[in-house]
Amino acid sequence: MRVYLDNAATTPVAPEVVEAMMPYFTEHYGNPSSIHAHGRAARAALEKARKTIAGLLHAAPAEIFFTSGGTETANLIIYQAVHHLGVSRIITSKMEHHCVLHTAESLFRRLKIDYVELDEHGNILYESLEQLLKNQHKTLVCLMHANNEIGTITNIARVGELCKQHGALFFSDTVQTVAHYPIDLQAVHVHFISGSAHKFHGPKGVGFAYIRSDSMLRPLLHGGAQERNMRAGTENLPGIVGMEKAMSLAYARLEEDRRHISGLKKYFLEKLRQHFPDIRVHGNEAENSLYTVLNIGFPRKQDSGMLVFNLDIHGVSASAGSACSSGSDVGSHVLAALGVTDRYEGVRFSFSRYNTTEEMDYTIEKLKEIIRP
Ligand code: PLP
């Protein structure tokens, strides 16, 4: 048996999505910028996808720009807000994804960066954010909707209200919540969000930026006039059509998937506690926690370590943190930000609609073989 529990890193592409994409490799291969029939068919599919995606998020189609994913979108928003919207200070947190943290830090000569305080579960302290916002800088707040390593969810409606009160721009990295939670961009005061298809059973290398109509940016990539001059380069049409299908599918079956996946997470945690009573949960345990992510601290024993490596050998793909830091021996910057000590080894298990109870049982059995009393 081979079990995949690394769905926060990437998800398997849904068969329905592969099917929807296929004609865009074989038949509708025109360039959406061409004016002949092939090009017009491609353009129609591109604009249909934009309309569908905007509709699912309660945004206007003109506010959706296709990109290569979450990383490019974060770079676009942060760089261009600083260079063209006069932002001189960023408020963020130490647990943001590196695509936000490293982008902000690369602008250190032009910017002041303030980090909002977090509690030990990764919840932002709203009073700390409010205090920081009182400072009179032109500010961009970059706070993720949900953390990809520990699953902690931030109340972006509350952050948005604080930003509104203090005249700050707000970018939320919603890569882990788009197509997993309803997002109503009419109800939340947020100027920018990001999405990435491979986190919700779509293809890799395609995503989008939502840019609110009153906060338009200038392009980061220069060249052709694609994406209404916001993002040059021939659009990845099969990918965009795949993202549209994956997102429609996910929102159509949201409650069903949520019930199934949160059931698995609860079951798995109960079994873990039964067999390993001295584990701890990193992040929030139930409330304000992604139903797709469970980060467990296993007490380090003298001969332990390399749990993720051992799980892999035993047929289970899990992760030590974000996919970008696995493979390097740098520990998790998120767990470090929460003050998690070396006495615990963090393993992130992340689930999808395709996981089963049998896979949970199998993983528990393998953990019992690996971690002997
Ligand atoms: N933001 C978060 C929270 C993520 O989990 C990821 C993916 O690891 C990204 C951004 C980057 O997205 P992409 O892989 O599409 O560049």
Side-chain angles (χ1 to χ4, degrees):
M1 195 176 201
R2 185 80 222 175
V3 180
Y4 185 72
L5 295 181
D6 201 12
N7 291 281
T10 196
T11 51
V13 181
E16 298 91 330
V17 170
V18 176
E19 200 188 322
M21 290 172 71
M22 281 317 279
Y24 291 87
F25 291 109
T26 53
E27 260 177 82
H28 310 305
Y29 44 77
N31 186 324
S33 299
S34 301
I35 53 171
H36 48 59
H38 281 82
R40 290 198 304 275
R43 161 75 47 195
L46 183 73
E47 295 313 324
K48 178 177 153 298
R50 195 186 315 280
K51 201 166 162 212
T52 307
I53 290 171
L56 291 168
L57 301 170
H58 307 276
E63 295 174 316
I64 301 295
F65 297 89
F66 296 121
T67 67
S68 65
T71 300
E72 183 191 323
T73 300
N75 275 262
L76 165 69
I77 290 164
I78 295 172
Y79 270 116
Q80 301 311 74
V82 170
H83 288 118
H84 300 292
L85 297 182
V87 165
S88 59
R89 191 260 302 256
I90 283 183
I91 299 178
T92 185
S93 83
K94 291 251 161 101
M95 65 168 186
E96 296 299 302
H97 191 274
H98 279 149
C99 70
V100 167
L101 282 180
H102 290 171
T103 306
E105 285 158 12
S106 76
L107 290 161
F108 74 98
R109 284 187 208 283
R110 301 183 62 130
L111 271 183
K112 176 170 164 35
I113 304 181
D114 286 320
Y115 298 94
V116 74
E117 280 178 49
L118 303 170
D119 75 6
E120 74 270 29
H121 305 297
N123 299 297
I124 67 158
L125 302 186
Y126 296 93
E127 311 74 54
S128 147
L129 174 61
E130 196 162 10
Q131 207 52 41
L132 288 169
L133 279 167
K134 285 186 179 149
N135 192 312
Q136 293 300 312
H137 281 276
K138 175 77 182 170
T139 298
L140 173 67
V141 171
C142 301
L143 290 172
M144 65 203 318
H145 192 187
N147 182 274
N148 50 304
E149 290 195 32
I150 54 169
T152 298
I153 297 176
T154 290
N155 183 340
I156 54 170
R158 189 165 171 191
V159 172
E161 275 315 304
L162 288 173
C163 291
K164 192 174 178 180
Q165 279 166 29
H166 294 88
L169 292 166
F170 178 26
F171 163 42
S172 189
D173 172 345
T174 50
V175 163
Q176 292 289 341
T177 50
V178 165
H180 296 285
Y181 289 81
I183 294 181
D184 182 351
L185 292 168
Q186 295 305 308
V188 181
H189 180 83
V190 62
H191 299 85
F192 315 105
I193 71 166
S194 51
S196 181
H198 74 103
K199 305 292 186 181
F200 49 86
H201 305 291
K204 294 169 183 61
V206 60
F208 67 87
Y210 159 78
I211 304 179
R212 213 169 79 172
S213 57
D214 61 358
S215 313
M216 275 304 148
L217 300 171
R218 301 238 196 111
L220 183 65
L221 298 186
H222 297 273
Q226 289 91 351
E227 295 299 293
R228 287 151 290 127
N229 283 311
M230 185 65 81
R231 201 268 189 182
T234 302
E235 298 88 346
N236 171 4
L237 191 58
I240 290 166
V241 169
M243 174 160 68
E244 175 195 14
K245 181 70 190 179
M247 211 161 142
S248 304
L249 197 62
Y251 277 117
R253 47 183 295 166
L254 198 71
E255 279 317 310
E256 186 191 332
D257 283 352
R258 188 208 288 251
R259 217 174 311 118
H260 172 67
I261 300 167
S262 31
L264 287 180
K265 175 174 166 175
K266 188 160 174 276
Y267 176 83
F268 188 60
L269 179 57
E270 275 167 15
K271 289 263 164 181
L272 279 173
R273 285 231 161 93
Q274 212 174 309
H275 296 287
F276 312 100
D278 45 5
I279 56 165
R280 50 190 268 178
V281 174
H282 293 145
N284 294 324
E285 190 160 324
E287 282 277 292
N288 298 326
S289 173
L290 284 177
Y291 56 87
T292 46
V293 170
L294 180 63
N295 192 314
I296 295 294
F298 291 89
R300 277 186 206 274
K301 306 228 171 79
Q302 227 128 57
D303 58 348
S304 81
M306 310 216 299
L307 255 180
V308 169
F309 176 72
N310 279 317
L311 276 168
D312 186 22
I313 292 174
H314 286 78
V316 179
S317 299
S319 150
S322 73
C324 328
S325 42
S326 51
S328 72
D329 51 10
V330 184
S332 154
H333 71 283
V334 176
L335 294 184
L338 306 190
V340 173
T341 66
D342 283 349
R343 289 189 296 113
Y344 288 89
E345 189 178 352
V347 181
R348 178 185 70 181
F349 301 97
S350 48
F351 316 100
S352 85
R353 67 172 77 120
Y354 299 115
N355 288 122
T356 62
T357 311
E358 293 68 48
E359 291 178 334
M360 302 301 112
D361 290 336
Y362 178 86
T363 305
I364 297 285
E365 285 314 307
K366 294 299 150 188
L367 279 166
K368 279 160 62 185
E369 284 174 32
I370 298 166
I371 310 173
R372 293 180 189 282

